[in-house]
Amino acid sequence: MAEKIVLKEDILDSFISILTTLTGIIPRASHRDGIKYFIEKKIAENNYSIDEYRKLLFTDKNLISEFVNECTVNETYFFREEKQFALLKNKIFPNWRYKSPEKEIKIWSAACSYGEEAYSLAVMALLCGLNPMVTASDINSEVIEHCKDGVFLSTSLRSVDGVSYQKLVLPYQREDRKIAFPQDIKNHITTMQMNLAELDSPKNILILPKNQNIIFIRNVFIYFSIELRKQILKIITDNCLADDGYLFVSMNEIAQLDSTIVPKSLEKLSDGNVFYFHKISDATRAGDKKEVL
Ligand SMILES: C[S@@+](CC[C@H](N)C(=O)[O-])C[C@H]1O[C@@H](n2cnc3c(N)ncnc32)[C@H](O)[C@@H]1O
């Protein structure tokens, strides 16, 4: 039988520091026990010493990937924060259809988890008569595979939120109650593994989704330092968001993103109690400057 290992707090801290270096994630106190349990089990089952496993987390790609997958929090569901989806349905998507009826709308669900967010965006855009191309990315390799498969448990439909739009995915519910999207919906989704803490690496700069009309980057900033939030917002605003594009974070996160963090080219807008960002084009900003002068 594997010998039981118990990690002391300072040893756990040293593993968490590896996690933060790899991913930017600073786990909440409530997640530390889960991480501790995983490391203790891994070490015991493989007869590693603590030091051996810690060193492997710098060199062994499979172990690194498994460690990162275990330490991410992947809570998500269809039409989460339905007020934001109401804004898309009632304002942003109809405007797009009016102004650019033939043009594909590019949407990026960054930190998409299993993919409910990406599919919610795609089916909502299709309902509004648009042709969406949704890029779904996450650091966790397992959730990305799940998103690619397009099959979801019925627990991804919640009774507390998202209810107004669940009818959009119910046509794809099977007898086993799972929601399985057909190929013609999956054709609107592209998946990629992307670490938001390394957006400026030479590899990522090449594959970053460009000219995105809408970016959803929700419920992930909460895990990052202020400095990393600022860095990510700058990179995606400058390199990924199209002029006049919209960027959504979760309603819990928006209050923490003040003018010291948000790039000048993003203006904060509100519609009722929905807050979001709009990228002001260079031309508009130049015009504004002239008026001031
Ligand atoms: C709580 S889920 C949010 C899912 C979805 N955006 C939503 O709001 O329902 C957070 C996701 O962020 C991902 N994540 C954490 N750190 C990341 C990083 N450095 N790069 C990319 N994704 C990351 C996790 O794997 C997880 O799937």
Side-chain angles (χ1 to χ4, degrees):
M1 213 175 101
E3 196 188 330
K4 190 164 167 27
I5 303 281
V6 180
L7 291 190
K8 292 197 186 127
E9 282 301 294
D10 59 331
I11 302 288
L12 176 61
D13 283 343
S14 70
F15 280 96
I16 285 181
S17 149
I18 297 173
L19 176 71
T20 307
T21 306
L22 291 169
T23 65
I25 296 172
I26 303 166
R28 293 162 168 190
S30 56
H31 299 146
R32 285 174 64 97
D33 276 352
I35 296 174
K36 181 169 178 274
Y37 176 73
F38 165 75
I39 298 169
E40 288 169 350
K41 194 161 158 271
K42 186 80 196 161
I43 289 175
E45 281 176 1
N46 293 279
N47 276 322
Y48 293 138
S49 70
I50 290 175
D51 214 32
E52 203 177 350
Y53 181 51
R54 204 169 25 203
K55 281 195 181 131
L56 285 168
L57 288 179
F58 287 95
T59 52
D60 185 313
K61 281 195 175 147
N62 291 333
L63 288 182
I64 293 172
S65 173
E66 179 193 53
F67 178 62
V68 168
N69 288 354
E70 278 295 327
C71 294
T72 57
V73 177
N74 306 113
E75 161 71 0
T76 189
Y77 52 89
F78 288 115
F79 302 105
R80 184 176 194 176
E81 300 200 58
E82 62 186 56
K83 285 184 191 142
Q84 296 183 330
F85 284 92
L87 176 68
L88 292 178
K89 176 174 175 284
N90 298 327
K91 222 174 202 170
I92 295 179
F93 286 166
N95 269 347
W96 181 273
R97 190 169 147 86
Y98 176 72
K99 285 189 187 157
S100 327
E102 305 298 329
K103 209 168 142 199
E104 174 185 271
I105 184 161
K106 292 192 173 70
I107 306 176
W108 181 17
S109 165
C112 65
S113 186
Y114 294 102
E116 286 86 339
E117 183 176 271
Y119 283 88
S120 300
L121 289 162
V123 293
M124 179 64 87
L126 287 165
L127 171 83
C128 296
L130 308 187
N131 178 16
M133 181 38 72
V134 182
T135 303
S137 73
D138 201 281
I139 194 171
N140 181 320
S141 56
E142 279 171 18
V143 296
I144 284 298
E145 285 309 308
H146 190 110
C147 179
K148 220 182 270 177
D149 286 347
V151 179
F152 297 90
L153 296 175
S154 60
T155 46
S156 295
L157 299 169
R158 300 287 164 89
S159 55
V160 287
D161 187 21
V163 183
S164 309
Y165 301 116
Q166 286 172 2
K167 55 184 176 294
L168 297 183
V169 299
L170 287 180
Y172 310 114
Q173 192 159 35
R174 304 189 304 208
E175 273 183 9
D176 63 2
R177 301 192 50 78
K178 287 186 179 170
I179 291 149
F181 289 99
Q183 194 55 47
D184 61 337
I185 302 284
K186 291 202 264 184
N187 288 343
H188 292 276
I189 313 271
T190 307
T191 52
M192 66 162 73
Q193 196 179 359
M194 169 77 71
N195 181 355
L196 292 169
E198 290 179 349
L199 289 179
D200 55 355
S201 74
K203 179 187 136 230
N204 282 343
I205 282 289
L206 291 177
I207 59 167
L208 275 181
K210 308 269 173 4
N211 266 320
Q212 300 297 301
N213 307 108
I214 295 175
I215 297 179
F216 265 48
I217 179 161
R218 306 187 307 167
N219 299 301
V220 67
F221 281 131
I222 37 171
Y223 302 108
F224 297 154
S225 68
I226 303 234
E227 205 37 54
L228 184 57
R229 294 174 196 182
K230 189 172 174 179
Q231 182 188 318
I232 293 170
L233 275 174
K234 172 146 182 55
I235 296 174
I236 63 178
T237 303
D238 291 353
N239 299 280
C240 306
L241 191 60
D243 277 353
D244 271 330
Y246 297 101
L247 185 143
F248 289 82
V249 297
S250 84
M251 299 306 240
N252 292 332
E253 291 163 316
I254 200 149
Q256 298 158 16
L257 300 180
D258 62 23
S259 58
T260 60
I261 299 183
V262 176
K264 297 241 171 331
S265 53
L266 284 187
E267 61 175 342
K268 192 169 169 183
L269 300 180
S270 67
D271 188 278
N273 53 5
V274 181
F275 293 89
Y276 58 112
F277 295 105
H278 170 242
K279 182 170 169 180
I280 312 163
S281 67
D282 287 344
T284 311
R285 285 211 293 162
D288 283 353
K289 264 191 205 142
K290 265 185 215 146
E291 269 171 35
V292 175
L293 290 172

